[in-house]
């Protein structure tokens, strides 16, 4: 436990930050580098607890992975060379490692036991286990295989046609990985676009996949070719500075080389709808991923409605969007976001508790919340819920609160943004 005390600031925020590499893309870069035969170099890799879990999982299967700061060197004998791990694989807090690795391990010819921390052990795995069982997977665990730890006896899988019942990139990606090593042609259809980094990276590593609107077809038994990956800055981490710049008067913050893939950039549309002043320039593209420079300037905000297909494009940003809404004039409604209930913590309950403790007016819904703004936040002591995104949201709230905000435990920032507090300090001139 490490308590954090955030003092309200009286000066504007200003400066330039290069937020760390994207968490989702860092996981996938390790996975595809390990599946390709040969050497891959990954630059701007996110050195955070979650991504290190994915590295450790492949090291346990015999893949050579070395790190030098944010550069990672992977040398693999390819899919066929992966070996049975001798001890259970620990996924820590990482839902992405868990879901994607379960999809892969189900089709590999060995036995694995996988487990996680107390938060991950409460999160539903059925969403991947059930379709994998339809493909012939042999998986058992607590609650009939819904909860970690799971025991996976790898087997030959058969491709299926699958309509995703949940809007989840983790489930889609788990099934794409299973499809890659199964017999036949796998078809996956999603109800709304979720982050498409797996599809982009499969294409970059030379896989034959076909994307037709919301349907993805992947042929089995394809050998991947190594290709170097440069990870863009994480828009989900940038979101905290976008919010800080928008709400602290007279601020101007520049965020360099941020990933602005359409399937991730819903927050930029919400900021615009709320009246924020965001400038996007220096746009470039590498391996299907768009990068851009974002400049946020303080502006008066107004409430908005956030619902439907945009939700998966900003799902991890909803805590900090809720904070923005407390500073916006009028009502903000967030709905169709029931997935928040099964994140690292129940983020609808956690966001409402933390912001209400600081004086916000929030009504929770089963699938979202209604926020009445604008409110002057006062200080107080709040729980982190051991959730990195709740800590960073509370820290931004602390900048504009009238008294100090004390967060009981800030250590979970190590999950996605280990240097968050140093970066925040660097723009408080
Ligand atoms: C992720 C997908 C999202 C997101 C998570 C990372 C990914 O989860 O919330 O932080 O890397 O695929 P769901 O797929 O459960 O929506």
């Amino acid at each position: 436990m490490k308590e954090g005390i955030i003092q309200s600031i009286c000066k504007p925020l200003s400066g330039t930050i290069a937020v760390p590499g994207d968490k989702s893309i860092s996981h996938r870069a390790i996975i595809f580098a390990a599946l390709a035969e040969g050497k891959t170099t990954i630059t701007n890799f996110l050195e955070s607890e979650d991504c290190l879990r994915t590295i450790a999982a492949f090291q346990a299967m015999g893949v050579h992975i070395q790190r030098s700061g944010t550069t990672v060197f992977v040398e693999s004998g390819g899919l066929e060379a992966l070996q049975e791990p001798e001890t259970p694989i620990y996924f820590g807090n990482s839902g992405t490692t868990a879901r994607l690795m379960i999809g892969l391990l189900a089709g590999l010819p060995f036995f694995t036991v996988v487990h996680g921390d107390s938060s991950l052990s409460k999160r539903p795995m059925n969403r991947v286990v059930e379709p994998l069982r339809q493909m012939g997977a042999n998986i058992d665990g607590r609650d009939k295989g819904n909860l970690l730890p799971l025991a996976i006896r790898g087997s030959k899988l058969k491709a299926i046609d699958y309509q995703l019942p949940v809007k989840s990139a983790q489930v889609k990606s788990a099934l794409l990985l299973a499809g890659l090593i199964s017999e036949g042609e796998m078809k996956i259809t999603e109800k709304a676009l979720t982050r498409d980094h797996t599809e982009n990276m499969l294409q970059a590593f030379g896989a034959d996949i076909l994307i037709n609107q919301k349907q993805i077809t992947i042929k089995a038994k394809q050998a991947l070719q190594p290709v170097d990956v440069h990870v863009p800055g994480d828009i989900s981490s940038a979101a905290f500075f976008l919010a800080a710049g928008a709400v602290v008067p007279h601020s101007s913050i520049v965020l360099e080389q941020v990933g602005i893939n359409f399937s991730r950039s819903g927050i930029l549309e919400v900021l615009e709808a709320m009246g924020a002043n965001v400038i996007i320039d220096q746009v470039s593209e590498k391996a299907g991923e768009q990068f851009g420079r974002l400049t946020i300037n303080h502006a008066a905000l107004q409430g908005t409605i956030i619902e439907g297909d945009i939700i998966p494009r900003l799902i991890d940003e909803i805590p900090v969007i809720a904070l923005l809404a407390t500073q916006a004039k009028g009502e903000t409604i967030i709905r169709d976001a029931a997935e928040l209930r099964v994140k690292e913590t129940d983020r609808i309950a956690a966001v409402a508790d933390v912001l209400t403790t600081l004086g916000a007016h929030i009504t929770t819904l089963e699938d979202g919340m209604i926020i009445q703004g604008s409110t002057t936040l006062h200080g107080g002591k709040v729980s982190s819920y051991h959730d990195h995104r709740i800590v960073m949201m509370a820290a931004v709230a602390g900048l504009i609160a009238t008294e100090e905000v004390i967060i009981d435990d800030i250590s979970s920032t190590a999950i996605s943004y280990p240097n968050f507090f140093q970066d925040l300090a660097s723009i408080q001139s």
Side-chain angles (χ1 to χ4, degrees), residues 22-25 27-28 95-96 99-100 123 127 167-173 194-195 197-198 236 264 312 315-316 339 342-344 347 388-389:
D22 187 274
K23 180 157 82 69
S24 295
I25 297 177
H27 284 296
R28 286 157 173 85
T96 305
R99 268 71 176 252
L100 271 60
R123 297 180 67 185
R127 48 185 58 204
K167 294 172 191 161
S168 162
Q170 292 178 350
V171 180
K172 173 176 65 172
S173 303
T194 63
R195 64 192 68 194
H197 310 302
T198 304
S236 299
R264 291 288 298 283
I315 189 76
D316 291 343
E339 275 296 301
V342 289
K343 293 292 176 191
E344 285 83 333
R347 283 187 178 155
H388 50 137
R389 303 208 194 277

Side-chain angles (χ1 to χ4, degrees), residues 246-326:
V247 298
V248 176
H250 311 295
S251 292
S252 179
I253 307 171
V254 178
L255 302 158
E256 303 222 86
Q257 292 260 316
V258 180
I260 51 168
N261 175 324
F262 177 78
S263 67
R264 291 288 298 283
S265 54
I267 184 162
L268 300 178
E269 288 159 43
V270 167
L271 281 165
E272 201 188 330
M274 294 179 96
N277 180 344
V278 197
I279 300 159
I280 308 169
D281 63 4
Q282 296 190 357
V283 175
S284 63
E285 194 178 312
K286 259 186 224 156
E289 297 292 342
Q290 277 210 325
F291 296 59
R293 180 172 74 171
L294 308 179
T295 305
I296 178 86
N297 300 306
H298 170 258
L301 302 179
Q302 73 221 13
T304 187
I305 297 177
I306 307 165
E307 62 184 349
D309 286 358
I310 200 171
I311 295 291
R313 297 177 47 231
L314 48 67
I315 189 76
D316 291 343
E317 288 65 79
I318 291 178
V320 84
I321 289 174
L323 169 63
L324 281 168
T326 68

